[in-house]
Amino acid sequence: MIKRLGASEITFKFFAYFLTGVFSLLALYPVVYAFSASVSGKMAYEFGEVVLFPRDVNFEVYKFLLNNKTFWLSYVNTLFYTVFGTAWSMLISACGAYALSRKKLLFRRQFNLFIVFTMWFSAGMIPTYLNYYHMGVNNRWGFVFAFGVQAFNIILLRSYFETIPAEIDEAATIDGANDFQLFSKIYIPMSTAAIITVSLFYATNRWNGYFWANLLLREEADAPLQVTMRRLIEYYAQFADNSPLELPFAADSYMFAILVCSIIPVLIIYPFIQKYFARGTNLGGVKG
């Protein structure tokens, strides 16, 4: 039997779909505009003819960018920080969350309190910077290990691990499984959505990292993409104003080209993990 929708429910769904569509277009517009501005002709952009779609299409700015070795070195650095940094963060977070989810852990409540305490209070920016500085966090591996974990993500994973039925845990223990086997063969496979969601949080944070990288990484060869983007935009803006050469693209087109190149990996990877992210957004919210 087909259920007929009432007038109020039809009205609600109409406005829900309408508002969702509007917000989606608003979120998509900056990406489309950035690409259009990067491939539009210099005169078309400077005279404000680019509103949504590109005008006088050319790819001169991308040819110019492809020949910039500093940009591609920073791209490799960012991939390094994202891949190894996320793997290191997930190793610590998953192991810590599993331990904190075990009710037999000695001083379990106190450990949880200490971790949550760091979410409420911090030493402040200056003491934190001095701590990183004296620890020698000024190279690639130091930057990977120093920013290894976030308390909030440990709490998320711990909450999700606690939703796994105790009967499964007890059955595996009776069969002779130790904690390492429980963790690797039961908790991790049953927490795929949570693991991928938290990994996405870490990866996004690493990919977009700018502030601490700009303060701590002294060598230009170690700089990630976000730091190099800022430096390139500042340098090129000054170069474009003072150079007697007539370049075939607008100064802002160079900035937009860098922005487009920086989001390509995210646009490629996100569709493949979206289904896990949708399931993992409510992780820890429902107790099993």
Side-chain angles (χ1 to χ4, degrees), residues 239-269:
F239 173 79
D241 292 336
N242 300 327
S243 175
L245 299 177
E246 184 69 21
L247 296 174
F249 48 83
D252 288 347
S253 295
Y254 187 66
M255 175 188 69
F256 286 121
I258 295 176
L259 294 176
V260 170
C261 290
S262 69
I263 65 174
I264 287 177
V266 179
L267 295 178
I268 293 175
I269 295 174

Side-chain angles (χ1 to χ4, degrees), residues 67-89:
N67 293 324
N68 192 315
K69 295 181 179 179
T70 302
F71 174 77
W72 292 111
L73 177 61
S74 68
Y75 220 113
V76 173
N77 288 337
T78 298
L79 290 173
F80 174 85
Y81 295 134
T82 301
V83 173
F84 288 98
T86 301
W88 171 245
S89 298

Side-chain angles (χ1 to χ4, degrees), residues 7-64:
S8 59
E9 189 170 357
I10 292 175
T11 303
F12 172 78
K13 286 191 173 184
F14 171 79
F15 280 106
Y17 287 128
F18 175 76
L19 291 176
T20 301
V22 171
F23 289 144
S24 299
L25 292 175
L26 291 176
L28 184 62
Y29 177 75
V31 179
V32 176
Y33 178 81
F35 177 75
S36 298
S38 67
V39 299
S40 294
K42 181 177 182 179
M43 299 300 295
Y45 177 80
E46 291 181 347
F47 281 96
E49 297 177 8
V50 180
V51 178
L52 178 61
F53 298 107
R55 301 290 299 273
D56 301 333
V57 177
N58 69 80
F59 294 91
E60 294 296 327
V61 66
Y62 287 99
K63 294 178 182 178
F64 187 83

Side-chain angles (χ1 to χ4, degrees), residues 272-288:
F272 295 99
I273 62 176
Q274 182 181 10
K275 59 180 180 180
Y276 298 105
F277 181 72
R279 292 201 316 232
T281 50
N282 293 324
L283 60 89
V286 180
K287 295 292 183 181

Side-chain angles (χ1 to χ4, degrees), residues 41-196:
K42 181 177 182 179
M43 299 300 295
Y45 177 80
E46 291 181 347
F47 281 96
E49 297 177 8
V50 180
V51 178
L52 178 61
F53 298 107
R55 301 290 299 273
D56 301 333
V57 177
N58 69 80
F59 294 91
E60 294 296 327
V61 66
Y62 287 99
K63 294 178 182 178
F64 187 83
L65 188 60
L66 287 174
N67 293 324
N68 192 315
K69 295 181 179 179
T70 302
F71 174 77
W72 292 111
L73 177 61
S74 68
Y75 220 113
V76 173
N77 288 337
T78 298
L79 290 173
F80 174 85
Y81 295 134
T82 301
V83 173
F84 288 98
T86 301
W88 171 245
S89 298
M90 286 306 302
L91 176 64
I92 299 176
S93 298
C95 292
Y98 172 76
L100 294 173
S101 69
R102 309 296 291 169
K103 294 182 179 180
K104 63 181 181 180
L105 176 67
L106 190 64
F107 302 120
R108 173 175 176 264
R109 178 170 295 183
Q110 286 77 9
F111 284 131
N112 277 291
L113 179 61
F114 289 153
I115 291 177
V116 173
F117 182 84
T118 64
M119 298 170 57
W120 298 334
F121 303 98
S122 64
M125 185 177 71
I126 302 301
T128 301
Y129 168 77
L130 293 176
N131 185 41
Y132 287 139
Y133 177 79
H134 290 295
M135 289 175 60
V137 184
N138 56 6
N139 55 69
R140 288 187 179 92
W141 286 110
F143 197 72
V144 166
F145 291 125
F147 296 89
V149 68
Q150 293 179 0
F152 178 73
N153 291 332
I154 292 182
I155 299 301
L156 285 180
L157 284 176
R158 184 212 65 187
S159 300
Y160 196 90
F161 287 159
E162 289 176 347
T163 64
I164 295 177
E167 292 79 8
I168 298 177
D169 192 308
E170 294 171 358
T173 303
I174 293 173
D175 289 339
N178 55 34
D179 279 315
F180 178 77
Q181 292 171 325
L182 287 172
F183 174 66
S184 60
K185 296 183 178 180
I186 294 180
Y187 279 78
I188 293 299
M190 294 186 66
S191 307
T192 304
I195 294 294
I196 293 180

